[in-house]
Amino acid sequence: MTENLLTVTGLSAVSDREGGMPVLRDVGLTLKNGGVRGLVGESGAGKSTIAKAILGILPRTVRITGGWINFKGRDLLSMKPQELRSIMGSEIALIPQDPQTALNPARRIGAQLADGLKLKRDMSARTAEAHALQLLADVQIRDPDRVMKSFPHQLSGGMRQRVLIAAAFAVEPELVIADEPTTALDVTVQKEILRLIRHMQSARGTGVLFVTHDLGIVAQICDSVTLLYAGKVIEEGPVRNVLENPNHAYTKALIAAGPRYDRPDAGLEPVPEAVFRELRQEIGIS
Amino acid sequence: MDQNLLVATGIKVTYGKHAGLFGSKPSTPVLHGVDIRIGRGQTVGIVGESGSGKTTLGRALLRLVDVSAGKIAFDGRDITHIPETEMRPLRRRMQMIFQDPMASLNPRHTIRRILTGPLLLHGLAGDAATALEQVKSVLDRVSLPAACLERYPHELSGGQRQRIGIARAVLMQPDFVLADEIVSGLDVSTQAQALRLLKSLSRELGLAMAFISHDLSVIRAVCDYVYVMRLGKVVEEGPCEQVFASPSAAYTRALLDAIPLPEYDPGWLERRTET
Ligand SMILES: Nc1ncnc2c1ncn2[C@@H]1O[C@H](COP(=O)(O)OP(=O)(O)OP(=O)(O)O)[C@@H](O)[C@H]1O
Ligand SMILES: Nc1ncnc2c1ncn2[C@@H]1O[C@H](COP(=O)(O)OP(=O)(O)OP(=O)(O)O)[C@@H](O)[C@H]1O
Ligand SMILES: [Mg+2]
Ligand SMILES: [Mg+2]
């Protein structure tokens, strides 16, 4: 039997802001040691909510109403706050969706990266700085020396995003939750980042939960994929199966919606209203 | 009439040149002489490496950052150094749509106020009722229900907010719209909707657009002409069909090869293209 790094079972949650509307409906997913699972679905489908539930950082207005999140044999949902704190940011690391708000605008990048290394990996200030510099080079930042001394607003969007990727990898976690980590990157840098993730995963067995809208990324880096709609798992399985033989009409429609440079006349077909109607009926929402 | 709406030549931008409060900062040259022209009603794509200066170029075209060399002409007029008072009436004609509409929509105002306010401010509508009429017809155009008017920005989904950003720009009846990475955070279906919308708006209204994106598939789908940037320079330009069919710059080829396609291709990640 293969050991799962992460097993989510029957996870349900409601949003108090939207009158108790369910945001997760009986979600189950597994991640093997060294596995990379893609988590896809439209805006509002609940991808970030799953990520936040695992990290224990849900907003007060989102309430978990059932389920388990098992990480290396322990249920994260019933763990004490200080136990959770020791795991988060060291065994489990997040690459957040929003690079604007995740960095402290008033501190230089070098200092922010070194903080994590000193705190979570017990490094001296000098070692932490040298290590931070190397991490920036690893994520393909051209002039790491300048970036170390920069404030967040002095970097381009893609550079800020790479700083956050470096910060997550810095702690050598066992599980990385990457919430749309490459949206602001050009494809050549994106490919290097995907390679870096693959390297971490094969060298150290790091598991990755990869939230993305891009089925191309899913095809090239993930081994399994979970598709959500309105908080419900619509399709799940090995990537190749799902892409080549999707079960659900919604999955097929999503594959057809993406533009393709190699087929300028294909793609750009929004998901038909009929498919959404069918989905809502299936889930039981009006 | 000149076929070109916006012509920029030899644009150079350097950040941090001015002596600040704490003495003069080290300066970072970012654009090293960029030429770009955008025809009336034309949609031009700008693609390139992260940090290559795409956003900076866009901001320079709109005179939101000062250029240290070069010339920008809009509708036949040199606007490179005209004072802000003369720039102001042109600002309505040059609109910008942002990647994160949340950051550019006032969170304390309803959508109604966000959209009608500028119409009244720029005198595009004589009174609130006329403004509301215009807003309603544009909302319809971007497929948003009129019920959105009474909501606040945070009460809309990301895709809906993005369409509010598009509606706000279009309401100003601009000649030129700069769209900076506006679809990269959207799911593919919402993205397809937004791209189709922009395409038909530009056709119907004769809008010229500069479309900054790191996604060549998106550029291929909406643009007529493409500029490829790297390290503050244009390394290749041409009509989309030509650049995509036979890219001449090694960097363009590398960009094309690095696009992940939704197909099983086990060797892809390890394949490298020299740049
Ligand atoms: N702070 C909050 N309080 C209450 N409900 C929230 C909060 N944040 C999000 N929600 C709701 O939870 C649901 C799922 O949101 P979530 O952020 O998980 O979506 P997502 O799949 O990550 O979407 P995106 O692709 O836009 O990031 C949405 O219906 C949203 O309105
Ligand atoms: N306010 C600023 N002060 C100093 N340097 C800046 C400032 N804004 C941008 N830069 C630098 O200018 C360069 C180009 O940045 P720009 O934002 O134009 O890139 P971009 O091509 O839009 O990148 P991305 O695709 O990541 O958005 C980067 O090296 C960045 O660090
Ligand atoms: Mg999210
Ligand atoms: Mg940019």
Side-chain angles (χ1 to χ4, degrees):
Chain A
M1 205 183 81
T2 46
E3 177 106 15
N4 282 332
L5 181 64
L6 179 77
T7 309
V8 175
T9 322
L11 190 64
S12 297
V14 297
S15 161
D16 282 337
R17 216 181 48 194
E18 280 146 283
M21 189 190 72
V23 289
L24 296 180
R25 303 167 198 256
D26 196 20
V27 169
L29 63 83
T30 59
L31 186 65
K32 290 179 304 203
N33 276 310
V36 183
R37 178 174 288 271
L39 193 54
V40 292
E42 65 172 30
S43 182
K47 305 181 297 294
S48 295
T49 304
I50 293 177
K52 286 176 189 161
I54 295 168
L55 292 152
I57 53 167
L58 281 173
R60 271 180 222 289
T61 40
V62 174
R63 211 159 22 90
I64 292 181
T65 53
W68 296 267
I69 299 175
N70 187 302
F71 173 67
K72 296 201 304 182
R74 292 176 299 168
D75 182 29
L76 293 178
L77 290 180
S78 53
M79 228 177 242
K80 292 199 191 69
Q82 82 249 33
E83 261 182 297
L84 268 180
R85 261 198 305 277
S86 75
I87 293 182
M88 298 308 156
S90 50
E91 290 175 55
I92 303 182
L94 170 73
I95 305 173
Q97 178 167 8
D98 182 3
Q100 311 297 13
T101 51
L103 289 165
N104 180 343
R107 297 200 71 205
R108 292 178 200 278
I109 299 299
Q112 298 195 47
L113 279 175
D115 280 350
L117 292 167
K118 284 188 279 189
L119 192 71
K120 298 284 182 183
R121 289 182 62 191
D122 271 338
M123 288 185 181
S124 70
R126 166 93 63 69
T127 326
E129 176 152 339
H131 201 74
L133 200 62
Q134 182 55 47
L135 285 163
L136 289 176
D138 287 346
V139 292
Q140 308 291 314
I141 295 238
R142 274 184 191 283
D143 37 6
D145 287 308
R146 169 173 75 94
V147 169
M148 287 282 280
K149 296 191 204 88
S150 299
F151 289 101
H153 78 272
Q154 293 170 323
L155 306 181
S156 78
M159 291 162 97
R160 278 196 290 264
Q161 200 163 41
R162 279 177 280 169
V163 167
L164 291 168
I165 294 171
F169 287 170
V171 296
E172 306 199 335
E174 291 168 58
L175 171 62
V176 172
I177 297 179
D179 197 350
E180 308 200 37
T182 60
T183 42
L185 303 180
D186 68 85
V187 286
T188 54
V189 173
Q190 170 176 284
K191 189 166 179 181
E192 290 303 327
I193 299 291
L194 296 181
R195 235 184 237 135
L196 195 68
I197 292 175
R198 170 68 58 82
H199 176 78
M200 291 230 315
Q201 169 241 340
S202 53
R204 283 195 266 114
T206 311
V208 184
L209 190 61
F210 202 117
V211 177
T212 178
H213 289 301
D214 188 336
L215 290 171
I217 291 181
V218 169
Q220 304 310 337
I221 181 95
C222 299
D223 44 62
S224 60
V225 59
T226 298
L227 170 63
L228 289 176
Y229 179 79
K232 180 106 187 145
V233 175
I234 301 300
E235 177 132 10
E236 188 282 325
V239 164
R240 188 171 184 185
N241 288 2
V242 170
L243 289 177
E244 292 179 2
N245 295 302
N247 281 318
H248 205 285
Y250 181 51
T251 318
K252 282 180 205 145
L254 279 183
I255 296 171
R260 290 185 56 152
Y261 78 94
D262 58 335
R263 292 186 208 152
D265 302 320
L268 279 205
E269 286 300 329
V271 174
E273 202 37 55
V275 173
F276 282 125
R277 262 201 307 278
E278 186 191 327
L279 267 175
R280 284 193 291 264
Q281 221 162 37
E282 240 178 78
I283 301 171
I285 42 179
S286 43
Chain B
M1 194 168 69
D2 186 355
Q3 273 313 307
N4 288 312
L5 179 64
L6 192 60
V7 182
T9 36
I11 299 298
K12 292 188 183 176
V13 171
T14 296
Y15 282 112
K17 242 209 172 143
H18 305 286
L21 200 53
F22 308 105
S24 83
K25 293 179 282 182
S27 61
T28 321
V30 170
L31 295 180
H32 311 281
V34 171
D35 298 335
I36 179 171
R37 52 183 67 225
I38 301 167
R40 291 172 201 280
Q42 191 186 34
T43 301
V44 160
I46 303 173
V47 68
E49 194 170 43
S50 169
S52 62
K54 304 179 296 295
T55 297
T56 303
L57 175 62
R59 293 174 62 83
L61 294 178
L62 297 191
R63 283 281 319 270
L64 295 170
V65 25
D66 285 330
V67 301
S68 53
K71 184 182 151 190
I72 304 161
F74 179 72
D75 204 4
R77 173 167 179 211
D78 185 346
I79 61 164
T80 326
H81 298 293
I82 62 173
E84 187 51 37
T85 46
E86 287 175 50
M87 218 23 235
R88 206 163 298 140
L90 293 178
R91 294 233 178 266
R92 177 191 64 75
R93 299 175 57 196
M94 311 168 91
Q95 290 291 314
M96 179 157 183
I97 314 176
F98 299 88
Q99 169 170 13
D100 178 9
M102 205 48 191
S104 63
L105 301 176
N106 188 328
R108 283 182 301 276
H109 289 177
T110 59
I111 299 302
R112 174 201 294 267
R113 180 155 173 206
I114 288 170
L115 293 180
T116 54
L119 283 175
L120 296 165
L121 186 74
H122 288 279
L124 290 168
D127 54 63
T130 328
L132 192 59
E133 277 321 301
Q134 294 182 19
V135 166
K136 281 184 176 161
S137 88
V138 168
L139 277 187
D140 191 47
R141 218 39 220 79
V142 300
S143 313
L144 286 174
C148 282
L149 285 171
E150 307 316 322
R151 301 224 193 139
Y152 291 89
H154 72 266
E155 295 175 322
L156 300 174
S157 79
Q160 288 175 329
R161 276 199 295 267
Q162 197 53 269
R163 277 177 279 165
I164 295 292
I166 296 173
R168 186 174 58 169
V170 168
L171 274 166
M172 294 294 97
Q173 301 168 27
D175 302 298
F176 173 64
V177 171
L178 174 77
D180 191 355
E181 297 283 10
I182 62 164
V183 294
S184 56
L186 300 179
D187 59 273
V188 282
S189 180
T190 312
Q191 172 179 300
Q193 246 172 20
L195 294 176
R196 285 178 159 232
L197 174 66
L198 282 173
K199 245 171 124 162
S200 61
L201 285 174
S202 83
R203 205 176 305 128
E204 285 162 35
L205 309 175
L207 267 183
M209 279 202 297
F211 202 91
I212 299 176
S213 176
H214 61 84
D215 187 336
L216 276 166
S217 298
V218 166
I219 296 229
R220 180 76 170 110
V222 292
C223 299
D224 312 306
Y225 198 89
V226 60
Y227 289 87
V228 182
M229 289 184 64
R230 191 179 198 201
L231 298 172
K233 290 198 183 97
V234 171
V235 295
E236 175 156 12
E237 65 173 283
C240 274
E241 310 88 79
Q242 181 193 315
V243 170
F244 280 81
S246 52
S248 63
Y251 181 63
T252 313
R253 277 197 298 280
L255 275 181
L256 287 169
D257 289 342
I259 296 174
L261 293 175
E263 281 166 5
Y264 182 69
D265 182 2
W268 180 83
L269 201 55
E270 299 311 322
R271 275 203 297 276
R272 281 170 191 272
T273 312
E274 289 313 311
T275 56

